Amino acid sequence: MPTTAPIHPVDEVPPVRRLAAFGLQHVLAMYAGAVAVPLIVGGAMKLSPADLAYLITADLLVCGIATLIQCVGFWRFGVRLPIMQGCTFAAVSPMVLIGTTGGGLPAIYGSVIVAGLAIVLLAPVFGKLLRFFPPLVTGTVILIIGISLLPVAGNWAAGGAGSEDFGEPKNLALAGFVLAVVLGVQRFAPAFLSRIAVLSGIVVGLAVAVPFGFTDFGGVGDADWVGISTPFHFGAPTFEASAIVSMLVVALVTMTETTGDLIAVGEMTGRKVEPRSLSDGLRADGLSTVLGGVFNTFPYTAYAQNVGLVGMTRVRSRWVVAAAGGILVLLGLLPKLGAVVAAIPAPVLGGAGLVMFGTVAASGLRTLAEVDFEDNHNLTVVAVSVAVGVLPVGVPTVYEKFPDWFQTVMNSGISAGCLTAIVLNLLFNHLPGKAGSPVTEPDGLAGGGTEERVEKAREEIV
């Protein structure tokens, strides 16, 4: 009897009922982060409530399209892994500066379009850099991603940054309750329910939050039934040199962050990212960013919070995330649905976020467990990289006296830590060592001290 090749878990298509539940879980995990960028930029530019609502629906629509491009893919666009796409926070400060110093939204969109095209062109170059991401570097980067996200969950748990009741015990109690529900479902519920533990926690938390006055659905009645984002709604894009330069720096930062996220998902799903697939994933980022500039939204990147959700639930199908992309498209076309999701209070998301973001950090530790730390400098590489990556997270104003381009790179703990890990790995594991010092293999694992390996290290430099 002929046998068919087994389907990889990444390509499996779950039943429709599970597909919808798993997909909704991904949407809820990233929704707050997705709408935060248009809210921050639009608020800084003092846009009207109608324009803010337009930015949010446009953002959700393109988030969905970008996710579908990344998961489903076509030709050389899309990594075809369970990756959610959303607006990058690395672009917030430059966009606020561009929008408030005279250029306005047209100048923002012009620079976003150019940045997207640059990402498409640079994607093959980044694909060739994959050899500089051995387990030593990837584990460190994934660990930094998780640690960098934990303050976001903490802010949500306390009530949301800037809220009047920030830090109230009732907010933390609600977040703790949601965390307990997530853990309880994951530990004691049947297999299917344990895989939607985050969704279960959010639903139960919302059911508790409404009667206790944490939120209301008054905004649902005010929202429109249908909203369609049209190209260049705020006017034709303008192309200003200073705006383009700052956004190109952002493009390099987001490419670095996306590379870390793609490698992390590849590790979690058992389908390791190769140079070609990395290029395809980055190319999808670029195309999505161009679409963002055309359809009145912002640059796009992979969302690390959903990386944690993949690791926590062990649901590896890319079609689940594609279903989440379809839900986002609906939310972008039907503002009333978006208003319902927006009514979920921040502490509910914070309780779930603590588990998801912690899972990302734990995945980094699991990858680092493969690395040999005996008789080499690998521990130094991890220690310094984590320190540099966590520094702007713990002290957000540490680089405020530096130039804007430097802040754009270093204020992102992910890109700062990633660049540090790559440089230190090259310094300690690829350059020829001094006499008597251990020489390590180029993959970051300790090796012997033979002349052959020294010569190999020299060849790597060339």
Side-chain angles (χ1 to χ4, degrees):
M1 293 289 291
T3 57
T4 58
I7 298 176
H8 194 281
V10 168
D11 298 318
E12 285 181 354
V13 182
V16 174
R17 178 173 62 92
R18 297 190 177 189
L19 202 64
F22 292 150
L24 179 60
Q25 185 170 237
H26 273 282
V27 170
L28 296 179
M30 61 83 69
Y31 186 90
V35 301
V37 174
L39 281 174
I40 295 170
V41 176
M45 295 179 63
K46 295 180 170 55
L47 297 182
S48 67
D51 284 343
L52 272 177
Y54 193 95
L55 282 181
I56 291 172
T57 54
D59 174 34
L60 293 174
L61 175 65
V62 181
C63 273
I65 295 172
T67 299
L68 289 169
I69 293 173
Q70 193 70 276
C71 294
V72 179
F74 67 93
W75 191 50
R76 295 296 304 277
F77 291 86
V79 72
R80 294 166 176 83
L81 286 172
I83 288 283
M84 288 290 290
Q85 298 285 107
C87 283
T88 174
F89 282 86
V92 169
S93 296
M95 290 192 300
V96 168
L97 190 63
I98 296 167
T100 55
T101 54
L105 286 172
I108 291 176
Y109 294 140
S111 63
V112 167
I113 291 171
V114 173
L117 294 173
I119 292 173
V120 172
L121 294 175
L122 290 173
V125 177
F126 260 72
K128 293 176 181 177
L129 298 179
L130 190 61
R131 58 194 291 270
F132 297 111
F133 286 85
L136 175 64
V137 174
T138 58
T140 303
V141 172
I142 297 168
L143 175 61
I144 293 171
I145 291 172
I147 295 174
S148 299
L149 288 171
L150 285 173
V152 176
N155 281 323
W156 288 347
S163 62
E164 294 180 0
D165 61 348
F166 186 84
E168 289 282 347
K170 64 176 185 179
N171 292 333
L172 295 170
L174 178 59
F177 171 72
V178 172
L179 174 60
V181 172
V182 171
L183 295 176
V185 170
Q186 192 171 23
R187 174 63 181 86
F188 299 107
F192 169 66
L193 282 179
S194 69
R195 293 190 172 186
I196 55 169
V198 170
L199 177 61
S200 302
I202 290 174
V203 170
V204 173
L206 184 60
V208 171
V210 172
F212 280 94
F214 281 90
T215 188
D216 63 70
F217 293 93
V220 178
D222 299 331
D224 295 329
W225 279 105
V226 178
I228 299 176
S229 180
T230 55
F232 307 125
H233 174 79
F234 295 99
T238 58
F239 302 92
E240 299 182 8
S242 59
I244 290 171
V245 170
S246 62
M247 205 57 66
L248 288 175
V249 175
V250 170
L252 293 175
V253 172
T254 57
M255 292 178 80
T256 304
E257 293 181 353
T258 298
T259 298
D261 291 331
L262 297 184
I263 291 172
V265 171
E267 295 278 348
M268 292 176 180
T269 58
R271 177 177 280 177
K272 293 202 172 186
V273 174
E274 303 294 337
R276 172 167 175 154
S277 56
L278 174 59
S279 300
D280 294 347
L282 293 172
R283 204 177 279 112
D285 259 16
L287 176 59
S288 302
T289 298
V290 172
L291 291 176
V294 173
F295 286 95
N296 320 294
T297 180
F298 307 114
Y300 284 84
T301 187
Y303 259 28
Q305 47 262 60
N306 296 89
V307 174
L309 189 58
V310 170
M312 176 188 165
T313 62
R314 300 184 299 280
V315 177
R316 296 180 281 177
S317 172
R318 62 190 173 106
W319 297 105
V320 164
V321 180
I327 294 172
L328 284 172
V329 170
L330 283 177
L331 294 177
L333 296 175
L334 303 173
K336 270 199 187 300
L337 289 179
V340 172
V341 177
I344 299 173
V348 172
L349 296 173
L354 287 171
V355 186
M356 293 187 299
F357 303 161
T359 301
V360 178
S363 298
L365 293 176
R366 182 176 61 187
T367 301
L368 287 174
E370 304 173 9
V371 179
D372 184 5
F373 289 99
E374 296 294 329
D375 299 323
N376 56 44
H377 301 289
N378 288 341
L379 193 63
T380 301
V381 175
V382 176
V384 176
S385 301
V386 171
V388 173
V390 174
L391 186 60
V393 177
V395 190
T397 58
V398 66
Y399 299 121
E400 65 177 6
K401 303 296 184 184
F402 285 76
D404 290 339
W405 67 267
F406 186 89
Q407 292 186 50
T408 301
V409 175
M410 298 303 291
N411 274 341
S412 167
I414 298 171
S415 63
C418 182
L419 292 173
T420 304
I422 292 172
V423 171
L424 291 182
N425 180 55
L426 290 174
L427 176 64
F428 286 112
N429 294 329
H430 288 258
L431 290 177
K434 61 185 178 181
S437 66
V439 178
T440 53
E441 293 285 3
D443 64 353
L445 305 179
T450 63
E451 292 181 3
E452 179 183 356
R453 283 172 179 152
V454 173
E455 186 60 30
K456 187 175 182 181
R458 291 198 182 102
E459 292 173 4
E460 293 282 18
I461 298 169
V462 175

